[in-house]
PDB file of all heavy atoms in Angstrom:
ATOM      1  N   ALA A  26     -14.356  13.862   8.864  1.00 92.00           N
ATOM      2  CA  ALA A  26     -13.382  14.868   8.465  1.00 92.00           C
ATOM      3  C   ALA A  26     -12.233  14.223   7.682  1.00 92.00           C
ATOM      4  O   ALA A  26     -11.786  14.743   6.672  1.00 92.00           O
ATOM      5  CB  ALA A  26     -12.857  15.658   9.660  1.00 92.00           C
ATOM      6  N   LEU A  27     -11.733  13.102   8.198  1.00 90.00           N
ATOM      7  CA  LEU A  27     -10.667  12.392   7.516  1.00 90.00           C
ATOM      8  C   LEU A  27     -11.044  11.998   6.073  1.00 90.00           C
ATOM      9  O   LEU A  27     -10.323  12.160   5.125  1.00 90.00           O
ATOM     10  CB  LEU A  27     -10.222  11.163   8.315  1.00 90.00           C
ATOM     11  CG  LEU A  27      -9.381  11.441   9.551  1.00 90.00           C
ATOM     12  CD1 LEU A  27      -9.255  10.175  10.404  1.00 90.00           C
ATOM     13  CD2 LEU A  27      -8.012  11.999   9.177  1.00 90.00           C
ATOM     14  N   ILE A  30     -11.174  15.103   3.950  1.00 92.00           N
ATOM     15  CA  ILE A  30      -9.830  15.594   3.626  1.00 92.00           C
ATOM     16  C   ILE A  30      -9.216  14.750   2.525  1.00 92.00           C
ATOM     17  O   ILE A  30      -8.652  15.285   1.552  1.00 92.00           O
ATOM     18  CB  ILE A  30      -8.954  15.620   4.882  1.00 92.00           C
ATOM     19  CG1 ILE A  30      -9.412  16.724   5.843  1.00 92.00           C
ATOM     20  CG2 ILE A  30      -7.479  15.740   4.534  1.00 92.00           C
ATOM     21  CD1 ILE A  30      -8.798  16.678   7.228  1.00 92.00           C
ATOM     22  N   VAL A  31      -9.305  13.434   2.661  1.00 89.00           N
ATOM     23  CA  VAL A  31      -8.730  12.546   1.630  1.00 89.00           C
ATOM     24  C   VAL A  31      -9.430  12.820   0.284  1.00 89.00           C
ATOM     25  O   VAL A  31      -8.778  12.917  -0.761  1.00 89.00           O
ATOM     26  CB  VAL A  31      -8.874  11.070   2.043  1.00 89.00           C
ATOM     27  CG1 VAL A  31      -8.548  10.112   0.926  1.00 89.00           C
ATOM     28  CG2 VAL A  31      -7.966  10.783   3.257  1.00 89.00           C
ATOM     29  N   TRP A  33     -10.929  15.597  -0.678  1.00 89.00           N
ATOM     30  CA  TRP A  33     -10.561  16.918  -1.127  1.00 89.00           C
ATOM     31  C   TRP A  33      -9.212  16.902  -1.854  1.00 89.00           C
ATOM     32  O   TRP A  33      -9.054  17.498  -2.904  1.00 89.00           O
ATOM     33  CB  TRP A  33     -10.529  17.903   0.078  1.00 89.00           C
ATOM     34  CG  TRP A  33      -9.974  19.217  -0.248  1.00 89.00           C
ATOM     35  CD1 TRP A  33     -10.587  20.234  -0.936  1.00 89.00           C
ATOM     36  CD2 TRP A  33      -8.700  19.762   0.125  1.00 89.00           C
ATOM     37  NE1 TRP A  33      -9.757  21.345  -0.993  1.00 89.00           N
ATOM     38  CE2 TRP A  33      -8.593  21.050  -0.353  1.00 89.00           C
ATOM     39  CE3 TRP A  33      -7.640  19.207   0.856  1.00 89.00           C
ATOM     40  CZ2 TRP A  33      -7.493  21.841  -0.151  1.00 89.00           C
ATOM     41  CZ3 TRP A  33      -6.528  19.984   1.055  1.00 89.00           C
ATOM     42  CH2 TRP A  33      -6.441  21.290   0.582  1.00 89.00           C
ATOM     43  N   VAL A  34      -8.262  16.205  -1.278  1.00 88.00           N
ATOM     44  CA  VAL A  34      -6.921  16.118  -1.895  1.00 88.00           C
ATOM     45  C   VAL A  34      -7.046  15.344  -3.252  1.00 88.00           C
ATOM     46  O   VAL A  34      -6.458  15.744  -4.242  1.00 88.00           O
ATOM     47  CB  VAL A  34      -5.880  15.462  -0.983  1.00 88.00           C
ATOM     48  CG1 VAL A  34      -4.592  15.174  -1.691  1.00 88.00           C
ATOM     49  CG2 VAL A  34      -5.621  16.384   0.226  1.00 88.00           C
ATOM     50  N   LEU A  83     -11.093  23.921   4.902  1.00 93.00           N
ATOM     51  CA  LEU A  83     -10.093  22.985   5.409  1.00 93.00           C
ATOM     52  C   LEU A  83      -9.816  23.201   6.908  1.00 93.00           C
ATOM     53  O   LEU A  83      -9.646  22.217   7.630  1.00 93.00           O
ATOM     54  CB  LEU A  83      -8.791  23.182   4.606  1.00 93.00           C
ATOM     55  CG  LEU A  83      -7.659  22.175   4.899  1.00 93.00           C
ATOM     56  CD1 LEU A  83      -8.087  20.759   4.676  1.00 93.00           C
ATOM     57  CD2 LEU A  83      -6.452  22.514   4.077  1.00 93.00           C
ATOM     58  N   ASP A  84      -9.808  24.429   7.336  1.00 95.00           N
ATOM     59  CA  ASP A  84      -9.572  24.691   8.760  1.00 95.00           C
ATOM     60  C   ASP A  84     -10.662  24.055   9.612  1.00 95.00           C
ATOM     61  O   ASP A  84     -10.398  23.544  10.726  1.00 95.00           O
ATOM     62  CB  ASP A  84      -9.484  26.200   9.040  1.00 95.00           C
ATOM     63  CG  ASP A  84      -8.206  26.818   8.416  1.00 95.00           C
ATOM     64  OD1 ASP A  84      -7.178  26.087   8.350  1.00 95.00           O
ATOM     65  OD2 ASP A  84      -8.286  27.966   7.951  1.00 95.00           O
ATOM     66  N   LEU A  86     -12.425  21.369   8.846  1.00 94.00           N
ATOM     67  CA  LEU A  86     -12.192  19.904   8.823  1.00 94.00           C
ATOM     68  C   LEU A  86     -11.058  19.550   9.775  1.00 94.00           C
ATOM     69  O   LEU A  86     -11.173  18.609  10.557  1.00 94.00           O
ATOM     70  CB  LEU A  86     -11.879  19.404   7.433  1.00 94.00           C
ATOM     71  CG  LEU A  86     -13.030  19.415   6.421  1.00 94.00           C
ATOM     72  CD1 LEU A  86     -12.548  18.981   5.058  1.00 94.00           C
ATOM     73  CD2 LEU A  86     -14.191  18.547   6.896  1.00 94.00           C
ATOM     74  N   VAL A  87      -9.997  20.272   9.735  1.00 96.00           N
ATOM     75  CA  VAL A  87      -8.861  20.037  10.603  1.00 96.00           C
ATOM     76  C   VAL A  87      -9.255  20.207  12.067  1.00 96.00           C
ATOM     77  O   VAL A  87      -8.784  19.450  12.952  1.00 96.00           O
ATOM     78  CB  VAL A  87      -7.646  20.923  10.231  1.00 96.00           C
ATOM     79  CG1 VAL A  87      -6.570  20.917  11.285  1.00 96.00           C
ATOM     80  CG2 VAL A  87      -7.069  20.499   8.887  1.00 96.00           C
ATOM     81  N   LEU A  90     -10.402  17.153  13.949  1.00 95.00           N
ATOM     82  CA  LEU A  90      -9.383  16.191  14.299  1.00 95.00           C
ATOM     83  C   LEU A  90      -8.846  16.483  15.697  1.00 95.00           C
ATOM     84  O   LEU A  90      -8.334  17.588  15.946  1.00 95.00           O
ATOM     85  CB  LEU A  90      -8.216  16.162  13.291  1.00 95.00           C
ATOM     86  CG  LEU A  90      -8.641  15.951  11.857  1.00 95.00           C
ATOM     87  CD1 LEU A  90      -7.396  16.037  10.938  1.00 95.00           C
ATOM     88  CD2 LEU A  90      -9.361  14.635  11.662  1.00 95.00           C
ATOM     89  N   ARG A  96      -4.311  14.034  13.575  1.00 96.00           N
ATOM     90  CA  ARG A  96      -3.685  14.898  12.554  1.00 96.00           C
ATOM     91  C   ARG A  96      -2.605  14.147  11.829  1.00 96.00           C
ATOM     92  O   ARG A  96      -2.488  14.272  10.607  1.00 96.00           O
ATOM     93  CB  ARG A  96      -3.165  16.174  13.220  1.00 96.00           C
ATOM     94  CG  ARG A  96      -4.281  17.063  13.649  1.00 96.00           C
ATOM     95  CD  ARG A  96      -3.814  18.242  14.516  1.00 96.00           C
ATOM     96  NE  ARG A  96      -4.973  18.997  14.956  1.00 96.00           N
ATOM     97  CZ  ARG A  96      -5.189  20.240  14.575  1.00 96.00           C
ATOM     98  NH1 ARG A  96      -4.388  20.882  13.744  1.00 96.00           N
ATOM     99  NH2 ARG A  96      -6.324  20.844  14.961  1.00 96.00           N
ATOM    100  N   GLN A  97      -1.829  13.347  12.539  1.00 95.00           N
ATOM    101  CA  GLN A  97      -0.849  12.523  11.853  1.00 95.00           C
ATOM    102  C   GLN A  97      -1.507  11.490  10.947  1.00 95.00           C
ATOM    103  O   GLN A  97      -1.019  11.189   9.873  1.00 95.00           O
ATOM    104  CB  GLN A  97       0.048  11.794  12.884  1.00 95.00           C
ATOM    105  CG  GLN A  97       1.129  12.684  13.470  1.00 95.00           C
ATOM    106  CD  GLN A  97       1.993  11.933  14.422  1.00 95.00           C
ATOM    107  OE1 GLN A  97       1.533  11.295  15.358  1.00 95.00           O
ATOM    108  NE2 GLN A  97       3.304  12.000  14.178  1.00 95.00           N
ATOM    109  N   LEU A  98      -2.659  10.949  11.392  1.00 91.00           N
ATOM    110  CA  LEU A  98      -3.388  10.010  10.592  1.00 91.00           C
ATOM    111  C   LEU A  98      -3.837  10.680   9.293  1.00 91.00           C
ATOM    112  O   LEU A  98      -3.832  10.060   8.205  1.00 91.00           O
ATOM    113  CB  LEU A  98      -4.590   9.458  11.336  1.00 91.00           C
ATOM    114  CG  LEU A  98      -5.454   8.435  10.619  1.00 91.00           C
ATOM    115  CD1 LEU A  98      -4.629   7.220  10.151  1.00 91.00           C
ATOM    116  CD2 LEU A  98      -6.576   7.956  11.558  1.00 91.00           C
ATOM    117  N   ALA A  99      -4.253  11.931   9.326  1.00 93.00           N
ATOM    118  CA  ALA A  99      -4.620  12.654   8.129  1.00 93.00           C
ATOM    119  C   ALA A  99      -3.439  12.740   7.158  1.00 93.00           C
ATOM    120  O   ALA A  99      -3.615  12.487   5.934  1.00 93.00           O
ATOM    121  CB  ALA A  99      -5.125  14.080   8.452  1.00 93.00           C
ATOM    122  N   VAL A 100      -2.268  13.040   7.655  1.00 94.00           N
ATOM    123  CA  VAL A 100      -1.075  13.073   6.821  1.00 94.00           C
ATOM    124  C   VAL A 100      -0.847  11.699   6.174  1.00 94.00           C
ATOM    125  O   VAL A 100      -0.623  11.588   4.981  1.00 94.00           O
ATOM    126  CB  VAL A 100       0.156  13.526   7.640  1.00 94.00           C
ATOM    127  CG1 VAL A 100       1.449  13.356   6.806  1.00 94.00           C
ATOM    128  CG2 VAL A 100       0.023  14.956   8.077  1.00 94.00           C
ATOM    129  N   LYS A 101      -0.902  10.731   7.011  1.00 91.00           N
ATOM    130  CA  LYS A 101      -0.659   9.346   6.535  1.00 91.00           C
ATOM    131  C   LYS A 101      -1.656   8.908   5.480  1.00 91.00           C
ATOM    132  O   LYS A 101      -1.254   8.384   4.427  1.00 91.00           O
ATOM    133  CB  LYS A 101      -0.747   8.402   7.764  1.00 91.00           C
ATOM    134  CG  LYS A 101      -0.364   6.978   7.534  1.00 91.00           C
ATOM    135  CD  LYS A 101      -0.404   6.241   8.873  1.00 91.00           C
ATOM    136  CE  LYS A 101      -0.270   4.766   8.691  1.00 91.00           C
ATOM    137  NZ  LYS A 101      -0.381   4.067   9.969  1.00 91.00           N
ATOM    138  N   LEU A 102      -2.923   9.172   5.661  1.00 87.00           N
ATOM    139  CA  LEU A 102      -3.972   8.797   4.699  1.00 87.00           C
ATOM    140  C   LEU A 102      -3.821   9.527   3.383  1.00 87.00           C
ATOM    141  O   LEU A 102      -3.974   8.961   2.312  1.00 87.00           O
ATOM    142  CB  LEU A 102      -5.352   8.974   5.279  1.00 87.00           C
ATOM    143  CG  LEU A 102      -5.725   8.090   6.437  1.00 87.00           C
ATOM    144  CD1 LEU A 102      -7.094   8.492   7.021  1.00 87.00           C
ATOM    145  CD2 LEU A 102      -5.722   6.631   6.009  1.00 87.00           C
ATOM    146  N   VAL A 103      -3.505  10.826   3.469  1.00 90.00           N
ATOM    147  CA  VAL A 103      -3.336  11.627   2.273  1.00 90.00           C
ATOM    148  C   VAL A 103      -2.121  11.168   1.468  1.00 90.00           C
ATOM    149  O   VAL A 103      -2.152  11.035   0.257  1.00 90.00           O
ATOM    150  CB  VAL A 103      -3.282  13.131   2.602  1.00 90.00           C
ATOM    151  CG1 VAL A 103      -2.803  13.937   1.430  1.00 90.00           C
ATOM    152  CG2 VAL A 103      -4.659  13.607   3.058  1.00 90.00           C
ATOM    153  N   VAL A 104      -1.026  10.879   2.167  1.00 89.00           N
ATOM    154  CA  VAL A 104       0.158  10.396   1.446  1.00 89.00           C
ATOM    155  C   VAL A 104      -0.169   9.064   0.750  1.00 89.00           C
ATOM    156  O   VAL A 104       0.210   8.847  -0.390  1.00 89.00           O
ATOM    157  CB  VAL A 104       1.342  10.198   2.431  1.00 89.00           C
ATOM    158  CG1 VAL A 104       2.491   9.374   1.826  1.00 89.00           C
ATOM    159  CG2 VAL A 104       1.862  11.564   2.906  1.00 89.00           C
ATOM    160  N   LEU A 107      -2.332   9.859  -2.307  1.00 86.00           N
ATOM    161  CA  LEU A 107      -1.506  10.401  -3.362  1.00 86.00           C
ATOM    162  C   LEU A 107      -0.761   9.297  -4.127  1.00 86.00           C
ATOM    163  O   LEU A 107      -0.489   9.447  -5.310  1.00 86.00           O
ATOM    164  CB  LEU A 107      -0.493  11.404  -2.792  1.00 86.00           C
ATOM    165  CG  LEU A 107      -1.079  12.679  -2.219  1.00 86.00           C
ATOM    166  CD1 LEU A 107       0.017  13.526  -1.548  1.00 86.00           C
ATOM    167  CD2 LEU A 107      -1.810  13.510  -3.260  1.00 86.00           C
ATOM    168  N   GLU A 123      -2.259  18.328  -6.579  1.00 87.00           N
ATOM    169  CA  GLU A 123      -2.412  17.519  -5.358  1.00 87.00           C
ATOM    170  C   GLU A 123      -1.299  17.807  -4.390  1.00 87.00           C
ATOM    171  O   GLU A 123      -1.510  17.829  -3.157  1.00 87.00           O
ATOM    172  CB  GLU A 123      -2.450  16.007  -5.670  1.00 87.00           C
ATOM    173  CG  GLU A 123      -3.784  15.656  -6.350  1.00 87.00           C
ATOM    174  CD  GLU A 123      -3.908  14.165  -6.653  1.00 87.00           C
ATOM    175  OE1 GLU A 123      -2.929  13.428  -6.580  1.00 87.00           O
ATOM    176  OE2 GLU A 123      -5.004  13.752  -7.047  1.00 87.00           O
ATOM    177  N   LYS A 124      -0.094  18.070  -4.863  1.00 89.00           N
ATOM    178  CA  LYS A 124       1.030  18.459  -4.013  1.00 89.00           C
ATOM    179  C   LYS A 124       0.741  19.770  -3.303  1.00 89.00           C
ATOM    180  O   LYS A 124       0.989  19.929  -2.113  1.00 89.00           O
ATOM    181  CB  LYS A 124       2.351  18.577  -4.815  1.00 89.00           C
ATOM    182  CG  LYS A 124       3.549  18.812  -3.955  1.00 89.00           C
ATOM    183  CD  LYS A 124       4.813  18.954  -4.795  1.00 89.00           C
ATOM    184  CE  LYS A 124       5.260  17.602  -5.225  1.00 89.00           C
ATOM    185  NZ  LYS A 124       6.586  17.640  -5.905  1.00 89.00           N
ATOM    186  N   GLN A 125       0.151  20.714  -4.018  1.00 92.00           N
ATOM    187  CA  GLN A 125      -0.206  22.014  -3.404  1.00 92.00           C
ATOM    188  C   GLN A 125      -1.272  21.801  -2.349  1.00 92.00           C
ATOM    189  O   GLN A 125      -1.219  22.425  -1.271  1.00 92.00           O
ATOM    190  CB  GLN A 125      -0.683  22.962  -4.502  1.00 92.00           C
ATOM    191  CG  GLN A 125      -0.989  24.345  -3.964  1.00 92.00           C
ATOM    192  CD  GLN A 125      -1.419  25.296  -5.057  1.00 92.00           C
ATOM    193  OE1 GLN A 125      -1.761  24.893  -6.184  1.00 92.00           O
ATOM    194  NE2 GLN A 125      -1.475  26.573  -4.757  1.00 92.00           N
ATOM    195  N   ALA A 126      -2.269  20.966  -2.625  1.00 92.00           N
ATOM    196  CA  ALA A 126      -3.326  20.688  -1.642  1.00 92.00           C
ATOM    197  C   ALA A 126      -2.709  20.028  -0.390  1.00 92.00           C
ATOM    198  O   ALA A 126      -3.061  20.378   0.721  1.00 92.00           O
ATOM    199  CB  ALA A 126      -4.403  19.757  -2.239  1.00 92.00           C
ATOM    200  N   TYR A 127      -1.767  19.144  -0.608  1.00 93.00           N
ATOM    201  CA  TYR A 127      -1.094  18.498   0.495  1.00 93.00           C
ATOM    202  C   TYR A 127      -0.340  19.537   1.348  1.00 93.00           C
ATOM    203  O   TYR A 127      -0.396  19.509   2.579  1.00 93.00           O
ATOM    204  CB  TYR A 127      -0.135  17.407  -0.026  1.00 93.00           C
ATOM    205  CG  TYR A 127       0.625  16.698   1.072  1.00 93.00           C
ATOM    206  CD1 TYR A 127      -0.021  15.995   2.043  1.00 93.00           C
ATOM    207  CD2 TYR A 127       1.993  16.749   1.069  1.00 93.00           C
ATOM    208  CE1 TYR A 127       0.681  15.318   3.079  1.00 93.00           C
ATOM    209  CE2 TYR A 127       2.737  16.080   2.106  1.00 93.00           C
ATOM    210  CZ  TYR A 127       2.077  15.404   3.081  1.00 93.00           C
ATOM    211  OH  TYR A 127       2.769  14.755   4.080  1.00 93.00           O
ATOM    212  N   ARG A 128       0.307  20.453   0.704  1.00 94.00           N
ATOM    213  CA  ARG A 128       1.044  21.493   1.440  1.00 94.00           C
ATOM    214  C   ARG A 128       0.072  22.382   2.232  1.00 94.00           C
ATOM    215  O   ARG A 128       0.379  22.770   3.357  1.00 94.00           O
ATOM    216  CB  ARG A 128       1.866  22.357   0.493  1.00 94.00           C
ATOM    217  CG  ARG A 128       3.104  21.605  -0.025  1.00 94.00           C
ATOM    218  CD  ARG A 128       3.955  22.511  -0.860  1.00 94.00           C
ATOM    219  NE  ARG A 128       5.121  21.725  -1.327  1.00 94.00           N
ATOM    220  CZ  ARG A 128       5.675  21.853  -2.503  1.00 94.00           C
ATOM    221  NH1 ARG A 128       5.157  22.731  -3.390  1.00 94.00           N
ATOM    222  NH2 ARG A 128       6.707  21.142  -2.833  1.00 94.00           N
ATOM    223  N   ARG A 129      -1.091  22.705   1.616  1.00 95.00           N
ATOM    224  CA  ARG A 129      -2.101  23.454   2.345  1.00 95.00           C
ATOM    225  C   ARG A 129      -2.570  22.697   3.538  1.00 95.00           C
ATOM    226  O   ARG A 129      -2.799  23.286   4.623  1.00 95.00           O
ATOM    227  CB  ARG A 129      -3.315  23.733   1.435  1.00 95.00           C
ATOM    228  CG  ARG A 129      -3.282  25.041   0.760  1.00 95.00           C
ATOM    229  CD  ARG A 129      -4.580  25.404   0.085  1.00 95.00           C
ATOM    230  NE  ARG A 129      -5.646  25.698   1.021  1.00 95.00           N
ATOM    231  CZ  ARG A 129      -6.932  25.596   0.720  1.00 95.00           C
ATOM    232  NH1 ARG A 129      -7.346  25.174  -0.446  1.00 95.00           N
ATOM    233  NH2 ARG A 129      -7.845  25.892   1.639  1.00 95.00           N
ATOM    234  N   LEU A 130      -2.773  21.389   3.383  1.00 96.00           N
ATOM    235  CA  LEU A 130      -3.187  20.559   4.531  1.00 96.00           C
ATOM    236  C   LEU A 130      -2.154  20.611   5.636  1.00 96.00           C
ATOM    237  O   LEU A 130      -2.480  20.750   6.804  1.00 96.00           O
ATOM    238  CB  LEU A 130      -3.443  19.118   4.073  1.00 96.00           C
ATOM    239  CG  LEU A 130      -3.722  18.120   5.190  1.00 96.00           C
ATOM    240  CD1 LEU A 130      -5.018  18.485   5.924  1.00 96.00           C
ATOM    241  CD2 LEU A 130      -3.755  16.727   4.637  1.00 96.00           C
ATOM    242  N   LEU A 131      -0.867  20.477   5.257  1.00 96.00           N
ATOM    243  CA  LEU A 131       0.201  20.494   6.280  1.00 96.00           C
ATOM    244  C   LEU A 131       0.178  21.821   7.037  1.00 96.00           C
ATOM    245  O   LEU A 131       0.366  21.829   8.260  1.00 96.00           O
ATOM    246  CB  LEU A 131       1.548  20.236   5.639  1.00 96.00           C
ATOM    247  CG  LEU A 131       1.798  18.833   5.106  1.00 96.00           C
ATOM    248  CD1 LEU A 131       3.163  18.714   4.499  1.00 96.00           C
ATOM    249  CD2 LEU A 131       1.594  17.769   6.180  1.00 96.00           C
ATOM    250  N   GLU A 132      -0.023  22.935   6.307  1.00 96.00           N
ATOM    251  CA  GLU A 132      -0.090  24.220   7.005  1.00 96.00           C
ATOM    252  C   GLU A 132      -1.269  24.265   7.963  1.00 96.00           C
ATOM    253  O   GLU A 132      -1.116  24.730   9.082  1.00 96.00           O
ATOM    254  CB  GLU A 132      -0.242  25.325   5.956  1.00 96.00           C
ATOM    255  CG  GLU A 132       1.020  25.611   5.188  1.00 96.00           C
ATOM    256  CD  GLU A 132       0.794  26.643   4.069  1.00 96.00           C
ATOM    257  OE1 GLU A 132      -0.205  27.406   4.156  1.00 96.00           O
ATOM    258  OE2 GLU A 132       1.589  26.656   3.108  1.00 96.00           O
ATOM    259  N   ALA A 133      -2.402  23.755   7.549  1.00 96.00           N
ATOM    260  CA  ALA A 133      -3.583  23.770   8.406  1.00 96.00           C
ATOM    261  C   ALA A 133      -3.427  22.850   9.617  1.00 96.00           C
ATOM    262  O   ALA A 133      -3.891  23.178  10.725  1.00 96.00           O
ATOM    263  CB  ALA A 133      -4.853  23.367   7.607  1.00 96.00           C
ATOM    264  N   LEU A 134      -2.763  21.730   9.431  1.00 97.00           N
ATOM    265  CA  LEU A 134      -2.562  20.781  10.541  1.00 97.00           C
ATOM    266  C   LEU A 134      -1.620  21.349  11.571  1.00 97.00           C
ATOM    267  O   LEU A 134      -1.731  21.025  12.743  1.00 97.00           O
ATOM    268  CB  LEU A 134      -2.061  19.463  10.025  1.00 97.00           C
ATOM    269  CG  LEU A 134      -3.018  18.636   9.199  1.00 97.00           C
ATOM    270  CD1 LEU A 134      -2.324  17.445   8.535  1.00 97.00           C
ATOM    271  CD2 LEU A 134      -4.187  18.132  10.060  1.00 97.00           C
ATOM    272  N   ASN A 135      -0.680  22.165  11.163  1.00 95.00           N
ATOM    273  CA  ASN A 135       0.311  22.774  12.046  1.00 95.00           C
ATOM    274  C   ASN A 135       1.001  21.794  12.951  1.00 95.00           C
ATOM    275  O   ASN A 135       1.127  22.020  14.135  1.00 95.00           O
ATOM    276  CB  ASN A 135      -0.422  23.897  12.859  1.00 95.00           C
ATOM    277  CG  ASN A 135       0.570  24.840  13.502  1.00 95.00           C
ATOM    278  OD1 ASN A 135       1.651  25.059  12.980  1.00 95.00           O
ATOM    279  ND2 ASN A 135       0.193  25.358  14.642  1.00 95.00           N
ATOM    280  N   LEU A 136       1.402  20.691  12.357  1.00 95.00           N
ATOM    281  CA  LEU A 136       2.178  19.676  13.116  1.00 95.00           C
ATOM    282  C   LEU A 136       3.639  20.014  13.088  1.00 95.00           C
ATOM    283  O   LEU A 136       4.137  20.561  12.088  1.00 95.00           O
ATOM    284  CB  LEU A 136       1.966  18.316  12.466  1.00 95.00           C
ATOM    285  CG  LEU A 136       0.648  17.601  12.631  1.00 95.00           C
ATOM    286  CD1 LEU A 136       0.554  16.384  11.738  1.00 95.00           C
ATOM    287  CD2 LEU A 136       0.472  17.177  14.095  1.00 95.00           C
ATOM    288  N   VAL A 141       5.239  15.196  11.101  1.00 94.00           N
ATOM    289  CA  VAL A 141       4.923  15.035   9.703  1.00 94.00           C
ATOM    290  C   VAL A 141       5.851  13.983   9.068  1.00 94.00           C
ATOM    291  O   VAL A 141       5.366  13.058   8.415  1.00 94.00           O
ATOM    292  CB  VAL A 141       5.046  16.354   8.929  1.00 94.00           C
ATOM    293  CG1 VAL A 141       4.925  16.159   7.426  1.00 94.00           C
ATOM    294  CG2 VAL A 141       3.995  17.353   9.412  1.00 94.00           C
TER     295      VAL A 141
END
Side-chain angles (χ1 to χ4, degrees):
L27 285 168
I30 288 169
V31 170
W33 172 75
V34 171
L83 185 59
D84 292 327
L86 290 177
V87 168
L90 305 177
R96 289 170 183 247
Q97 282 183 305
L98 181 56
V100 171
K101 186 176 171 184
L102 293 173
V103 166
V104 167
L107 293 173
E123 288 182 350
K124 186 182 280 187
Q125 183 179 14
Y127 178 61
R128 287 185 180 142
R129 264 190 71 203
L130 173 63
L131 291 179
E132 287 174 20
L134 291 170
N135 196 29
L136 286 169
V141 171

